Amino acid sequence: MSIAVCPGSFDPITLGHLDVITRAAALFDEVVVGVAINTGKSPLLDGPTRVRVAQEAVADLPNVRVERVPGLLVDFCRDIGATALVKGLRNGADYDGELPMALMNRHLTGVETVFLPADRSVIHIASSLVKDVARHGGQIDDLVPPGAADAVRDALGRLEATEQGEGR
Ligand code: PNS
């Protein structure tokens, strides 16, 4: 039984992530979408929301499930018996960011990382851009799975209300 983890912040999950997850599901017996903590980012969506939205997005994929990664990704992989990580690459900047993590993860436990080239149809999609477009009132419904767009708009609405309350 081959198990792979598709890790990420998923803040929110996008159609780009979904493309990689779907293709990983054709390569491995089981795929676990690992919703992890990136200490370099402060997420818009809370952990349970990111997990819920990702679960809704992969509901049609029979060999894919979503789990929270509580700490080190390599510990999570060991706990669930995963031997590979799968990540999508859109461009050279992605590669530059992903390579040190792939090498560190392999150094720590030997877990391998498989890179899949992003499909051209979703190469422009990034969670950070999705949030920026939404923050300025733009349309994000064709960039993310259905539940994700609503979750982003809700979170931005709450953030705006808080900032107004604080007189910012
Ligand atoms: O979607 P992202 O933010 O690019 O994903 C990065 C993520 C969350 C996969 C990475 O930060 C991570 O693995 N976090 C879990 C903690 C960990 O294992 N850190 C060491 C990474 S070498």
Side-chain angles (χ1 to χ4, degrees):
M1 167 81 78
S2 61
I3 304 176
V5 173
C6 288
S9 308
F10 300 109
D11 184 42
I13 191 168
T14 68
L15 295 187
H17 293 130
L18 209 47
D19 171 58
V20 171
I21 293 163
T22 304
R23 288 159 59 200
L27 295 173
F28 294 89
D29 295 323
E30 271 186 27
V31 169
V32 178
V33 177
V35 180
I37 298 160
N38 182 339
T39 43
K41 297 178 180 172
S42 42
L44 171 68
L45 305 177
D46 61 33
T49 303
R50 283 181 279 142
V51 169
R52 177 183 55 78
V53 167
Q55 275 168 340
E56 288 169 10
V58 302
D60 289 345
L61 301 171
N63 60 336
V64 179
R65 67 178 195 274
V66 180
E67 288 192 29
R68 189 96 198 265
V69 178
L72 266 187
L73 185 56
V74 290
D75 290 341
F76 176 77
C77 288
R78 194 160 40 198
D79 289 349
I80 66 165
T83 51
L85 295 160
V86 180
K87 276 268 185 165
L89 293 181
R90 289 163 297 191
N91 49 41
D94 274 358
Y95 180 76
D96 290 345
E98 295 297 339
L99 184 63
M101 289 194 278
L103 294 177
M104 178 57 76
N105 287 329
R106 193 169 60 151
H107 168 86
L108 291 171
T109 62
V111 70
E112 292 285 4
T113 299
V114 176
F115 291 124
L116 295 182
D119 190 80
R120 288 163 67 96
S121 62
V122 290
I123 215 156
H124 58 297
I125 304 177
S127 296
S128 54
L129 290 178
V130 166
K131 288 178 282 188
D132 199 44
V133 169
R135 193 168 281 128
H136 295 94
Q139 183 61 254
I140 59 168
D141 296 81
D142 55 355
L143 302 172
V144 295
D150 287 338
V152 167
R153 283 188 287 259
D154 288 352
L156 285 172
R158 280 195 299 275
L159 192 66
E160 209 170 294
T162 308
E163 286 174 354
Q164 278 171 4
E166 290 171 355
R168 277 195 235 160

